[in-house]
Amino acid sequence: MTREEQIGNLVLNENAYFYNKIKAGFLPETLIKTTFREASYEKMGRYLLKVVKNKHRLANKDIEYSICVFKYRKKPTFINEEIQEWEEIKLAYIVIVDFDEYVAISKRNISGTKELDKRILSIDYKTISSLFIDDTTTFEKFSMNNMNISDNAIRQKSMEAIDLKENVSTLGLHSYILSNVRLNNDGGKVSLSLNSSRINKFGKKNNLDFFISWADVIVDKIENINDTENFLSSFATPLDFDSERQSLKPIAILLILTKLNADYEANRIESTTLVFNEYKRDIDLLSILDSFSRLIEIREFVSAHGNSYFKVNTKIVNDLSISINSKSITLRSQKLKNLIIKFSDETKISIIDYFNKYNSFIINFDRVELVYSHRKLFRDNKLLGNIDAFLSVFRPFKELKEVSSEKGMVEAESTYFSRESIFGFVEDNFLEESRFFLCDDLGKEWADHIGLYEDSISFFHSKYKDSKFSASDFQDIVGQAQKNLGNLSPSEYQWQMKVNFWNNYYVLDHVSTQINRVRKGESAEAAMEYFKQLQSFPNLKKKVYLVINFISKADLADRLELLKEGKTFKERNEVIQILWFISSLVLSCNEVNAETYIICKP
């Protein structure tokens, strides 16, 4: 078969990655050849097909295309060491269609194209999300990522319907970043990957000429896009990074372990090794990264030359820093550069390069409404505007000025929690009107206290601290509340364990007290039956209370007003993070139809 016949034999989906060129003009031959070498470094023998810069005439323009097809060996994932003849033979290809200012790439089983990546940029998030939308468009599927910095927030979420525009509330969407969308325009379905600017039109495969013509249509759409508001505008708003970067001052980072955990679950990760000169040692990577699963402070330093640089404040890795580049933000650490992940396909990458490659982190800034995630800078348009609404969840109690501990001093003969404790405060103020009131503290707790009322279930999470405006203390109790939201509607298998637990006396620091865990009500068994009965109520109210002594509503309102005015004050960074945590908690509670209350000092 001749080369022309091989080209004519190719069948491709209308599925490609689209990019802007950093500099206009057709890609040079040396770059194409370098890209092919990078993409095919594991190839067997010669290229099955190699076409470099073939010219192609469209109706109104000239373009160039290049093709590379090759064969490679791969060790199967179900064996540890290579065995002769136990190997998979696979084919890979990459097709590059060059439109002078734009590039369309179709590929399969291709990983590295490092040199080409330096010359191109993904199509703008807002542009690609608007390409196929008009008044008749239906939205069939959303995949989205939470840009909230709370470590216990739901990180990813997908939803699907005939038309999500008709049955999804826009409430809370402003804190989510769309990653994938499936649209339907009069039967023509299109899937968009917004983070990688991949467009996939559903339909049958066709030949290369048809693929090039389709790519040309997409490029025309990109060049002539009208920036209009649509349903997708309800999500977080992407900003132009280059125009904002000079004003960016990062204050905190949350490492996202979702992709890493998924790679472990799929058995894609074979080993992790610490490599330093001649020294090598296998490492339990997940146990190390567990220390990074919380929001971590970023501190600004000034070099001897007067330049600012930003270090992540963690003792685990003392050289982890943030680099604000011209187009993106990356992490740097020589120590993490020495921690090497080996995958089942034999590829290797350092953990710091892994985080940068998949952009597995979220950063927030001293400009409260900004967040960096998925290689984009986003603005939550409603965060500052919702301050009055967020403050409405705070309920001041002057009695919290007098508390001096979380649980008080308990002794063997104790039958109640002292009034000077937050536990005592909760029981004094919320027990009387309940039908059942339970102390669920310690063990696999759902909450510190659970109140069962006439038409509602309430979870109370309590925390005492001597701090003031402590973001980390607030993060702890928000995380405790978020991870237990599912227990507002517990599963059947959980009940017997809970009944056994509630039938015991309260034990603290090895002191067995006379404090019944059933603080009000006949018995643990009766409480369980009433809990189940409440769950069946169609108009059941679910409520989540955080009870804290280290925040004053009046002081917080004052600081939030200073934030709105753009003023500088001592606790600015902590208040920014607290505001994000409040937003995260309220939205998490909304998603399970629960009301949110924060009981605090006046």
Side-chain angles (χ1 to χ4, degrees):
M1 186 178 286
T2 66
R3 190 178 79 153
E4 285 68 28
E5 288 173 330
Q6 288 177 331
I7 294 172
N9 196 44
L10 292 174
V11 286
L12 302 171
N13 289 107
E14 295 169 82
N15 181 353
Y17 298 85
F18 287 84
Y19 303 94
N20 287 108
K21 289 183 187 173
I22 294 175
K23 184 178 180 181
F26 288 123
L27 300 172
E29 181 177 343
T30 54
L31 177 60
I32 298 294
K33 290 181 177 179
T34 299
T35 299
F36 287 175
R37 281 197 302 271
E38 290 177 341
S40 63
Y41 73 98
E42 291 183 310
K43 74 177 175 69
M44 295 170 54
R46 62 180 180 80
Y47 290 106
L48 301 177
L49 176 62
K50 183 179 179 183
V51 177
V52 178
K53 290 175 69 70
N54 254 26
K55 297 190 181 302
H56 185 89
R57 179 66 185 173
L58 294 168
N60 59 346
K61 69 184 78 168
D62 290 316
I63 64 102
E64 293 180 352
Y65 69 83
S66 301
I67 305 170
C68 170
V69 182
F70 59 91
K71 188 164 45 175
Y72 68 99
R73 290 188 181 93
K74 181 183 178 185
K75 177 174 73 69
T77 58
F78 56 82
I79 63 174
N80 185 34
E81 296 182 4
E82 292 187 10
I83 304 174
Q84 190 174 6
E85 296 184 0
W86 285 42
E87 60 186 16
E88 297 174 342
I89 306 298
K90 293 197 170 188
L91 265 68
Y93 80 84
I94 180 169
V95 176
I96 303 172
V97 183
D98 191 346
F99 291 92
D100 187 47
E101 293 186 11
Y102 297 89
V103 175
I105 298 176
S106 175
K107 59 184 179 179
R108 181 178 179 182
N109 296 331
I110 297 290
S111 53
T113 56
K114 187 182 296 184
E115 289 304 312
L116 177 59
D117 293 344
K118 294 177 182 177
R119 307 285 191 95
I120 56 180
L121 297 171
S122 297
I123 301 300
D124 180 73
Y125 178 104
K126 191 168 181 62
T127 296
I128 197 169
S129 66
S130 304
L131 283 178
F132 300 91
I133 296 177
D134 58 33
D135 293 339
T136 66
T137 301
T138 57
F139 300 85
E140 294 186 345
K141 187 175 182 179
F142 291 153
S143 296
M144 55 189 118
N145 297 288
N146 197 339
M147 68 177 188
N148 212 291
I149 57 174
S150 175
D151 52 320
N152 279 288
I154 295 174
R155 295 258 64 90
Q156 295 178 327
K157 187 165 66 171
S158 294
M159 53 182 69
E160 192 167 356
I162 293 174
D163 187 5
L164 290 164
K165 183 171 58 177
E166 300 298 328
N167 52 19
V168 170
S169 168
T170 58
L171 180 66
L173 292 184
H174 58 90
S175 68
Y176 280 94
I177 301 165
L178 270 178
S179 56
N180 293 281
V181 184
R182 189 173 75 228
L183 311 172
N184 192 331
N185 289 310
D186 295 326
K189 296 179 188 288
V190 179
S191 175
L192 306 174
S193 297
L194 304 182
N195 296 325
S196 60
S197 66
R198 181 176 66 87
I199 299 172
N200 179 16
K201 183 179 180 182
F202 292 24
K204 66 179 183 179
K205 293 183 178 181
N206 219 310
N207 60 27
L208 179 63
D209 285 348
F210 185 87
F211 174 80
I212 291 173
S213 296
W214 169 75
D216 181 51
V217 170
I218 301 300
V219 168
D220 282 342
K221 281 179 171 287
I222 293 170
E223 290 180 325
N224 298 293
I225 189 71
N226 289 319
D227 189 7
T228 57
E229 295 292 307
N230 57 65
F231 180 64
L232 300 187
S233 303
S234 303
F235 291 87
T237 304
L239 301 177
D240 179 59
F241 183 85
D242 189 48
S243 64
E244 302 283 346
R245 67 186 181 90
Q246 295 294 339
S247 66
L248 296 179
K249 180 182 176 182
I251 61 172
I253 182 171
L254 179 69
L255 295 183
I256 306 300
L257 306 182
T258 308
K259 176 70 171 68
L260 191 71
N261 289 328
D263 282 342
Y264 268 106
E265 289 173 8
N267 295 316
R268 288 190 287 267
I269 294 179
E270 192 172 284
S271 64
T272 308
T273 307
L274 179 62
V275 179
F276 184 71
N277 295 331
E278 300 300 317
Y279 175 81
K280 292 184 179 181
R281 180 164 65 92
D282 288 342
I283 295 292
D284 181 0
L285 180 60
L286 290 181
S287 65
I288 294 175
L289 292 179
D290 189 54
S291 305
F292 291 97
S293 61
R294 291 171 52 84
L295 186 71
I296 308 172
E297 179 189 15
I298 297 173
R299 293 181 177 177
E300 183 179 10
F301 295 87
V302 179
S303 70
H305 301 290
N307 300 317
S308 291
Y309 64 98
F310 302 95
K311 289 193 67 176
V312 179
N313 185 31
T314 171
K315 296 178 181 178
I316 307 299
V317 180
N318 60 10
D319 69 341
L320 183 58
S321 63
I322 303 296
S323 180
I324 301 178
N325 312 308
S326 59
K327 300 295 181 183
S328 65
I329 296 178
T330 52
L331 307 182
R332 290 184 178 180
S333 166
Q334 186 55 52
K335 292 184 176 180
L336 292 181
K337 195 86 172 174
N338 297 329
L339 203 55
I340 308 299
I341 302 173
K342 180 182 178 182
F343 291 89
S344 56
D345 63 359
E346 301 299 313
T347 58
K348 296 179 181 179
I349 188 172
S350 72
I351 184 62
I352 196 72
D353 290 335
Y354 181 94
F355 278 119
N356 285 327
K357 178 178 180 180
Y358 297 106
N359 207 244
S360 300
F361 52 87
I362 297 175
I363 296 174
N364 70 337
F365 304 89
D366 69 339
R367 290 171 59 190
V368 61
E369 74 280 10
L370 299 188
V371 165
Y372 181 85
S373 181
H374 295 83
R375 295 187 182 86
K376 304 286 184 183
L377 187 67
F378 290 91
R379 179 175 60 228
D380 185 332
N381 289 320
K382 298 185 179 180
L383 193 64
L384 283 173
N386 281 348
I387 284 179
D388 290 341
F390 290 151
L391 281 173
S392 71
V393 307
F394 284 81
R395 301 294 170 88
F397 279 75
K398 63 179 184 298
E399 295 95 322
L400 283 171
K401 291 181 177 180
E402 310 303 324
V403 299
S404 56
S405 68
E406 188 168 295
K407 301 165 188 179
M409 292 290 294
V410 295
E411 300 174 342
E413 62 271 17
S414 298
T415 59
Y416 59 88
F417 296 102
S418 66
R419 287 195 167 185
E420 292 75 29
S421 69
I422 292 188
F423 274 38
F425 165 83
V426 169
E427 294 189 1
D428 284 347
N429 287 275
F430 298 97
L431 180 147
E432 185 175 347
E433 294 183 3
S434 68
R435 176 69 178 80
F436 289 88
F437 209 79
L438 307 159
C439 179
D440 197 44
D441 180 43
L442 306 177
K444 295 183 178 180
E445 64 185 56
W446 294 350
D448 292 318
H449 285 90
I450 298 172
L452 306 179
Y453 299 85
E454 185 176 333
D455 61 352
S456 66
I457 297 169
S458 295
F459 278 10
F460 296 87
H461 304 278
S462 301
K463 193 172 187 68
Y464 175 91
K465 284 291 178 180
D466 291 323
S467 58
K468 185 177 181 181
F469 293 120
S470 170
S472 60
D473 289 340
F474 197 65
Q475 178 182 11
D476 286 339
I477 194 167
V478 168
Q480 181 184 349
Q482 286 178 318
K483 71 182 181 182
N484 282 295
L485 288 175
N487 292 319
L488 286 163
S489 303
S491 301
E492 189 63 33
Y493 77 91
Q494 296 173 279
W495 284 118
Q496 192 55 53
M497 176 185 67
K498 275 299 170 188
V499 168
N500 294 339
F501 185 65
W502 294 338
N503 270 322
N504 295 319
Y505 287 110
Y506 186 74
V507 179
L508 179 64
D509 296 333
H510 307 292
V511 176
S512 297
T513 72
Q514 295 299 304
I515 300 174
N516 283 305
R517 286 192 172 275
V518 180
R519 307 300 296 140
K520 182 179 181 182
E522 304 89 76
S523 66
E525 288 77 10
M528 175 189 71
E529 293 303 322
Y530 189 64
F531 201 133
K532 290 182 178 180
Q533 181 183 343
L534 284 174
Q535 282 184 273
S536 67
F537 287 10
N539 294 319
L540 171 68
K541 295 178 181 177
K542 294 181 282 188
K543 301 179 181 182
V544 174
Y545 290 85
L546 307 191
V547 188
I548 56 177
N549 72 305
F550 54 89
I551 288 181
S552 153
K553 181 176 181 178
D555 288 347
L556 181 62
D558 174 67
R559 304 311 191 275
L560 290 175
E561 188 60 34
L562 293 176
L563 266 187
K564 286 177 70 174
E565 295 172 359
K567 295 181 179 178
T568 300
F569 54 95
K570 180 181 177 182
E571 311 92 346
R572 180 181 173 87
N573 289 354
E574 287 75 15
V575 171
I576 288 172
Q577 292 168 39
I578 288 172
L579 180 58
W580 276 101
F581 289 136
I582 297 168
S583 173
S584 175
L585 177 65
V586 170
L587 294 175
S588 295
C589 289
N590 283 343
E591 289 176 351
V592 296
N593 296 315
E595 300 172 12
T596 313
Y597 301 97
I598 301 175
I599 310 301
C600 63
K601 291 191 294 188

